Amino acid sequence: MTANATTTETATTDVHRALECVTEQRESVADRIDAFESFAARVRELPAGPSATTAGPVAQATPTVMTSRAAGTGPTTPDSCAIVRQTFLETIVPHTTVEIDGEESVVRALAAEFSRDIAVALTTNATWTAELKTAVIEAATTRRFEAERLQEALEAEAERLETLVADLDPIVAWLRSTAAESLQQYGFDELQAKHDRLEEFCEQLETGIEERQERLQEPVREAGDVPYRTLVESVYASFDARYPVLATLTRLCRICRECQRTVRDHLVRRA
């Protein structure tokens, strides 16, 4: 079939590569979940001094939990905050993109994962109080929950891609098998069958394009209603195409239409 575009489409499309990408990211997120769990478990075992206030539990790190040792809030392990920082470096940092090259980068990493207040508390002359301990554990737990929601969203994306790959493989295989053939060898009925087959492919791909476009407008419930478009742009940031799945569907549909026009030209000449 003399449609040059068909010869450039390989058996592995960006949809296949997208599935590989999502699989890798699921593994990475799973490691982050484990890291937050390990960090929180180790922090729970670290004794804390008396609270700096009796006003009640603190939901997050505030200047209150950053009371200095000079203020005298009670006994605590002198190196407790250093132990927490080291635990953070050992468990969580390996699963981030942060490069640690000094104390300032540690503060930035802590602030990025937890909060600026917690970062300051753990890297200054603050006391390791029960309040600070609670704030750190709650921050780690929140981040773990966020990672778990992202994992659910990636699992849903992987399921969609697996279905799509199963649908695309026969189309790509057919295009590859007919790319170099000459249509001169076929009779009218055979050409009509090819034309009809290509029409089925086009309809299937156009439906896929519409569904993908609609999906891009929807929220991702598994990820706290983050826009699906935002998730896709983040997950496939390394791809040349901003939306590789949609781009692949569109390209394949264009190829099928070009092939269909070529077949139609031969049909007209045979009529």
Side-chain angles (χ1 to χ4, degrees), residues 74-94:
T76 184
T77 304
D79 297 327
S80 293
C81 288
I83 293 173
V84 175
R85 293 199 304 273
Q86 185 60 35
T87 301
F88 176 78
L89 291 173
E90 293 173 357
T91 58
I92 297 176
V93 168

Side-chain angles (χ1 to χ4, degrees), residues 23 32 66 74-75 100 169 184 222:
T23 299
R32 275 179 61 80
M66 290 185 279
I100 301 298
D169 279 348
Q184 297 290 347
E222 300 93 338

